Amino acid sequence: MKRYQLSDALSISAIVQGFWRLDGWNFSAGELADFMNACIDRGVTTFDTAEIYGGTVCETLMGEAFKKDPTIRKRIELVSKTGIFVETINGKPFGYYNTSYDRVMQSCRESLKRLNTDSLDLYLIHREDPCLDVWETARALQQLKKDGLVREVGVSNFDPFKFDALNKAMDGALVTNQIEWNPVCFEHFNSGMMDQLTADKIHPMIWSPLAGGRLFSDDATCVSAMKKIGEIADRHGVDPSVIVYAWILYHPVGAAPITGTNKLARLDHAIQALDVKLAHHEWFEIYAASGQQKIR
Ligand code: NAP
């Protein structure tokens, strides 16, 4: 398995397994441990979660699997995130962000407890908090590193301005930005984030590479994208999802797609993409396929 070096202290597998949907999988702790071991056997050693996933249930379920097979934790890079919270107001859930020093410190300790582990390999600020005090958040992330509770830190869904601001307060210590990118989502191309990450030699992690499964739906934009992707898949004699992963892996930024499936055959499509060589013009065919991006 190809790996990306995020820092001197941390590398991740080029294909990452995501556990956002874990609370819907109905896996026992033993079944989850088996699934995790099957990922590791394939070289997919980086596992992604967050405190908000399933309202903290996903971290708890992962922690139970780590307890069931205590060898797993030592063989993976464990990623979690903080910053999103939900308050019940007038009987209705209200989502908001909190990236203050105290909240980040408390959240990390709580995540470690749920995950049955002493430390995280990578800890991310989950979203682009508009009330972010970069100096406060940086102080918390630096303290967590100093205390040995996290190995490296990064962010998720940050635009170039927020990334630069927090990275300045962190003396350049952010090692990734976990962002959405797929054939129907180009936010971070249009913001210039992809160029900035390429220039800074920072590998992004890519969430919802298959648009959360929407790519296979009858949504008109997805149908347009998949028509072209299917055509290119036929040229290469592979499943269309293999082409989507190959398209992400092709980019010079060195992106690590995070698969969200619980099916090993579908995880294997992501791994297979590492051996697919797209023609340069094929990358552009997919870039333009949904009609959202223009090649001038
Ligand atoms: P995804 O791989 O784009 O979507 C996974 C979904 O697509 C699953 O429901 C899967 O169903 C379905 N799917 C896959 N192949 C399919 C096919 N051929 N036909 C129909 N459906 C198919 O990724 P994601 O789950 O949205 O996100 C991946 C990971 O990124 C998450 O687990 C999480 O770790 C991370 N994430 C991060 C953020 C963030 O803000 N940082 C946000 C969202 C997600 P099956 O399980 O049945 O295969």
Side-chain angles (χ1 to χ4, degrees):
M1 169 65 58
K2 178 176 174 174
R3 295 185 69 83
Y4 295 124
Q5 202 70 43
L6 298 195
S7 71
D8 289 346
L10 179 65
S11 74
I12 61 170
S13 50
I15 307 298
V16 175
Q17 179 61 43
F19 290 88
W20 172 32
R21 301 172 190 273
L22 171 59
D23 60 331
W25 292 354
N26 294 319
F27 279 179
S28 67
E31 286 167 335
L32 181 55
D34 289 347
F35 178 76
M36 289 174 165
N37 274 312
C39 293
I40 297 167
D41 290 347
R42 286 162 165 76
V44 177
T45 59
T46 306
F47 291 179
D48 182 76
T49 187
E51 82 184 322
I52 192 69
Y53 290 172
T56 71
V57 167
C58 295
E59 282 189 338
T60 301
L61 294 173
M62 290 178 80
E64 285 167 7
F66 296 150
K67 210 176 203 172
K68 188 89 185 166
D69 180 350
T71 72
I72 293 175
R73 176 65 193 94
K74 297 182 195 75
R75 293 181 287 138
I76 62 162
E77 300 81 41
L78 185 56
V79 184
S80 193
K81 322 181 192 76
T82 185
I84 309 177
F85 299 90
V86 181
E87 204 75 33
T88 302
I89 297 169
N90 297 333
K92 287 189 189 143
F94 177 77
Y96 67 104
Y97 305 135
N98 187 345
T99 53
S100 64
Y101 177 89
D102 288 342
R103 185 63 247 187
V104 171
M105 297 301 286
Q106 181 187 336
S107 280
C108 185
R109 290 199 186 93
E110 289 172 357
S111 284
L112 294 175
K113 206 166 167 205
R114 282 190 291 271
L115 287 160
N116 277 314
T117 188
D118 295 334
S119 68
L120 295 167
D121 297 290
L122 181 57
Y123 199 42
L124 309 180
I125 299 299
H126 203 149
R127 277 205 171 270
E128 68 288 22
D129 179 359
C131 198
L132 173 72
D133 178 338
V134 291
W135 302 104
E136 270 256 310
T137 308
R139 189 162 65 86
L141 295 175
Q142 278 157 340
Q143 189 64 48
L144 290 172
K145 278 182 79 170
K146 211 161 139 191
D147 293 347
L149 301 186
V150 305
R151 194 135 58 112
E152 295 292 359
V153 296
V155 294
S156 181
N157 301 301
F158 273 38
D159 67 24
F161 300 102
K162 278 216 159 47
F163 189 92
D164 259 357
L166 183 58
N167 212 22
K168 186 175 172 194
M170 291 287 303
D171 294 325
L174 297 179
V175 301
T176 195
N177 190 4
Q178 187 179 117
I179 52 181
E180 184 181 15
W181 171 26
N182 56 57
V184 294
C185 173
F186 296 93
E187 174 187 346
H188 296 281
F189 279 85
N190 299 336
S191 73
M193 193 72 240
M194 292 295 282
D195 302 304
Q196 186 176 313
L197 292 169
T198 307
D200 291 346
K201 300 191 173 170
I202 291 176
H203 296 282
M205 301 169 77
I206 306 301
W207 61 266
S208 291
L210 303 177
R214 199 162 52 87
L215 265 189
F216 308 97
S217 72
D218 57 6
D219 170 282
T221 317
C222 294
V223 169
S224 298
M226 285 308 286
K227 189 163 177 271
K228 176 55 73 181
I229 290 164
E231 187 190 312
I232 296 173
D234 288 344
R235 281 179 218 159
H236 288 262
V238 296
D239 188 270
S241 57
V242 176
I243 294 298
V244 177
Y245 290 115
W247 180 66
I248 291 171
L249 291 162
Y250 185 91
H251 194 276
V253 76
I258 315 173
T259 61
T261 185
N262 65 354
K263 296 178 180 60
L264 293 171
R266 286 180 175 170
L267 172 60
D268 286 337
H269 285 152
I271 297 168
Q272 202 186 335
L274 290 161
D275 295 322
V276 170
K277 299 273 170 286
L278 291 180
H280 199 65
H281 69 268
E282 287 177 328
W283 192 91
F284 285 89
E285 286 185 87
I286 300 169
Y287 182 78
S290 73
Q292 291 164 305
Q293 299 297 93
K294 297 274 174 277
I295 300 168
R296 288 182 288 175

